[in-house]
Structure formats: structure tokens, C-alpha cells
Amino acid sequence: MNSLLVDSEHRVSTIELFFDLVFVFAFTQVTTLWHEQPTWAGLGRGLLVICALWWAWASYAWLTNTADVQADSVLGIVLFATGALFVAALAVPEAFGAQRFVFAIAFFTVLASFVGLYALVSRREPDLLAAVLRISWPVFAGAALIVAAAFTGTGWRPEIWLLALAIGFCGPLLTGLGGWRVFPAHFAERHGLIVIIAIGESLGSIGFGARDTPLDAQVIVAVVLGFLAAASFWLAYFDYASGSVGNLLAERRGRERIAFARDVYTYAHLPMVVGIVLFAFGVRTALAHVDEHLQLIPALGLCWGPALYLFGFVALRWRATRTVGRGRPIAAVGFALLTAATTHVSALVALALVTAGWGALHAYELIGWREERARRRSELAAAPELGDAHT
């Protein structure tokens, strides 16, 4: 039985959603790491962990885009990798400390399973198999370095992780585009769902932040502000941007489609996800201390989270159109500059300032660009399903 999809589009499967659910827990673990280690070192370690998690997730997004996950062999290995990823997620808060060996071995297992399964499903497609074999060296080299970091002294671990991630993310740029294939509708849907999952983590963080405080008027106002900010992340992505980008992917063919998928989804979506998780950490801290001034690291999370998220859109737009626009770049810089103010006011006021920044951006986009939004929506409604040809 052929376990490789050849010529049909498909929806995201339940096993992929189950795999993605592990990331809800993994993202929660990262915010826990930052909550317990609100220092520059803790911030850096958490960012390295998110990048490693994204590396694993993005790898499987490419795999399940072309593999028939209903085939027993594929389903079994994906479930095995999901279990290994869950073990890695358990070790996230101490991924550089007491649980570093657990994280490293589990993470290596996840990536080794990715390479092995991709090679298995592509064995009858020589061009795709060759592409998988080309990508295997940066995957194994980067994963092996994370294992090696577990055996080194504390001071060297972040540097080795950074080298590992550089190899993992830059390797695909050096191995060529030949042989890969993308089904646009599934690829766009899969990335949209992981954004939703990350936004869900920010909602969970609001609950975690508020659960140990009296639910008085101030806390309720803070919860509402946090919810509005989280909803703003959703609106910025799903109002019309996601569909437009998906159509741009479907319009491309051959290696141009592969490069576009890699740059716009695999790379440009990383700062978006990092930004959402950073904001989740910031809002969790703000909800737990609504009357107090935020320390610098939580303030960075609260403000730089939206900034990074919007910079991701700037990078995406530049890759697609070679323009950057005005609203989102200005808003991103504004959020970044807001950090200084949020350390001198109460957490409630800081959260109100961030939410007001989102409100200003949405007013600009929803009102100032209403004709453009209406035109794009009508195009999306009239467009056929995203292209079903593979490349």
C-alpha cells in the first residue's frame, strides 16, 4: 500500500491535531520556565526551547503534508513521535538543567523518527527520497549537538543549542529545493491551526494568572483586557491575511512554491508563534500582580510578544510582495517602544496600553482599509479551493 499522497489535496487529519495538542502543553511549559526564571538567562533559554520545538513541528508539517497518515505504518510512527515529543515537553522547564538528558534524547528521537518516516514514505519517489536524504545531515547534526550539549558544562549549553538550531534552520537553505512537494490548502490550514493553538495558550495563561488572585473588579478588567489582546492576535491573522497568503502559495508552481512555503510558513511563522508565547508569559504575570509594576522581563513579554508577531507579518509581506506596508510595521515598533512605559505603571495599566495599541491597529486596518478588505474577501469567496497540484 502506498503511504505517500500523490495528486490530491486533503484536510488536516485528527492524528495531526493530536500531535499539535502536545504543543499546547509544550508552550505552557515554556511560559512556566519563564515564570520560574524571569531573568535574561531564563528568557534566552525559553527562546531556544521554542525554536527547537518549532523545528520539530515544522518538520512534521512538511512530512504530513505529503504522507498518507491513515496508513498504519505512518500512523504508528507519528504516534510514537508524539509520545517522544510529550516526554520532551515534560522536561522543558529543566531542559538546560536536571532534565537535560531527558529532553535531548526525546528530542533526538522525534527528529530521527521524522527522517526515518519521510524516507520510508518516499521510497518509491526517487526525487523526494533524494531531498529527504539531503536534509538528513542538518537534522541529525543539529539534534546530535543538542544531545552533546547535555554532556557539557552549564556555560556552554546555550551556545551549543544555538549552533544546533542554526544548523537545523539554515540547513534547508543549503540543500536545494528539488524533489520537495507541497499541497497548498493543507499546508496553509496546518499553520493556521498551530497559530490558533498558540493563541489558545495565551488564553490559558490568562486563567493561570488569575486563578490565585481574588476575582475582584480590577482582576476582571485585566482578564477582559487580556482576552481582547488575545482576540487581536486572532483577528490580525485570520481576518483575511491567512487566506490571501494561502492563495499566493497556490498560485505558485514548482520550486517557486517550495521556496515560498519554506520562507513564508516555516520561517516567517516562527516569530509569530514566539510572539504569542511571549505575550502569554507577560499576560500571565500581569494577571497575577495587577496592582504592581511589571519587572523588565515580563514587560518585554507583554510588549515584545505583539511586536514579534507583527514583525512576522512584515517579513511575510516582504517575501510575498517586496513591500512592508505601514500599519503593522509602525504598530510593531510602537509595541516594542512601549516596554519602557510598562515598567513604570501598574500591570493593569500596562495591559490596557497594549490592548489600546491593538485597538489602534485594528481601527486603521478595519476602517482605513475597509474597501481593500472587502475586495480581498470577495476574491477569497469567489476563488476555488487552493490548488490541488503537487510540486
Side-chain angles (χ1 to χ4, degrees):
M1 180 172 134
N2 189 6
S3 54
L4 187 70
L5 295 167
V6 178
D7 57 359
S8 64
E9 273 289 6
H10 55 293
R11 299 300 301 270
V12 173
S13 65
T14 54
I15 184 59
E16 292 172 276
L17 291 175
F18 184 65
F19 181 83
D20 291 353
L21 284 177
V22 177
F23 284 86
V24 177
F25 177 60
F27 293 152
T28 301
Q29 290 287 80
V30 173
T31 59
T32 298
L33 185 158
W34 283 331
H35 191 70
E36 295 175 350
Q37 305 174 41
T39 62
W40 286 108
L43 179 64
R45 287 191 287 267
L47 291 174
L48 288 173
V49 170
I50 292 180
C51 290
L53 292 171
W54 181 257
W55 177 15
W57 183 89
S59 299
Y60 278 85
W62 282 87
L63 167 62
T64 57
N65 184 251
T66 55
D68 179 9
V69 294
Q70 302 305 320
D72 289 343
S73 58
V74 177
L75 182 63
I77 297 175
V78 171
L79 279 173
F80 172 76
T82 303
L85 183 63
F86 188 71
V87 172
L90 285 170
V92 161
E94 287 292 333
F96 289 84
Q99 301 299 325
R100 63 189 185 276
F101 295 104
V102 174
F103 182 92
I105 298 302
F107 185 75
F108 184 92
T109 301
V110 172
L111 289 182
S113 299
F114 155 72
V115 173
L117 180 54
Y118 220 153
L120 175 67
V121 301
S122 62
R123 65 191 183 279
R124 296 178 183 174
E125 298 286 336
D127 59 337
L128 181 56
L129 179 59
V132 173
L133 294 178
R134 291 197 306 270
I135 203 69
S136 64
W137 74 261
V139 172
F140 280 114
L145 278 173
I146 288 182
V147 174
F151 292 91
T152 64
T154 304
W156 285 100
R157 287 172 202 157
E159 287 80 1
I160 297 175
W161 269 60
L162 190 61
L163 176 60
L165 293 172
I167 292 172
F169 280 98
C170 296
L173 299 174
L174 306 175
T175 57
L177 299 171
W180 297 107
R181 57 197 64 186
V182 171
F183 293 102
H186 176 274
F187 206 70
E189 182 185 13
R190 186 79 192 277
H191 285 78
L193 288 173
I194 198 64
V195 171
I196 280 285
I197 285 173
I199 293 173
E201 158 57 14
S202 68
L203 292 175
S205 291
I206 294 172
F208 282 123
R211 69 180 180 179
D212 294 326
T213 59
L215 202 58
D216 56 20
Q218 276 193 319
V219 173
I220 291 174
V221 170
V223 166
V224 172
L225 290 171
F227 173 81
L228 291 174
S232 295
F233 281 90
W234 174 86
L235 186 63
Y237 189 92
F238 291 99
D239 183 39
Y240 64 78
S242 60
S244 299
V245 175
N247 280 342
L248 289 173
L249 177 64
E251 291 168 1
R252 286 161 168 78
R253 294 292 184 269
R255 297 190 178 192
E256 185 182 2
R257 175 182 288 180
I258 302 302
F260 190 83
R262 178 197 65 197
D263 297 342
V264 167
Y265 285 100
T266 301
Y267 291 144
H269 273 59
L270 173 58
M272 295 181 191
V273 171
V274 171
I276 296 170
V277 180
L278 267 174
F279 172 77
F281 157 65
V283 77
R284 177 177 176 176
T285 306
L287 263 294
H289 308 282
V290 291
D291 290 327
E292 303 173 17
H293 290 186
L294 287 174
Q295 298 299 313
L296 179 57
I297 301 302
L300 282 171
L302 194 67
C303 299
W304 273 88
L308 278 176
Y309 187 72
L310 293 174
F311 279 131
F313 281 102
V314 173
L316 185 156
R317 178 168 176 167
W318 173 257
R319 176 62 178 82
T321 66
R322 290 298 186 266
T323 63
V324 295
R326 287 176 292 182
R328 296 194 177 192
I330 293 173
V333 173
F335 278 125
L337 294 176
L338 194 60
T339 306
T342 55
T343 59
H344 294 87
V345 296
S346 70
L348 178 61
V349 173
L351 191 52
L353 290 173
V354 170
T355 306
W358 275 116
L361 174 62
H362 292 322
Y364 171 77
E365 294 187 338
L366 298 177
I367 299 174
W369 292 85
R370 58 186 179 277
E371 294 181 0
E372 176 69 10
R373 290 175 64 249
R375 182 185 68 80
R376 292 195 183 189
R377 285 185 168 186
S378 64
E379 289 177 355
L380 290 173
E385 290 293 322
L386 297 179
D388 61 0
H390 74 271
T391 61

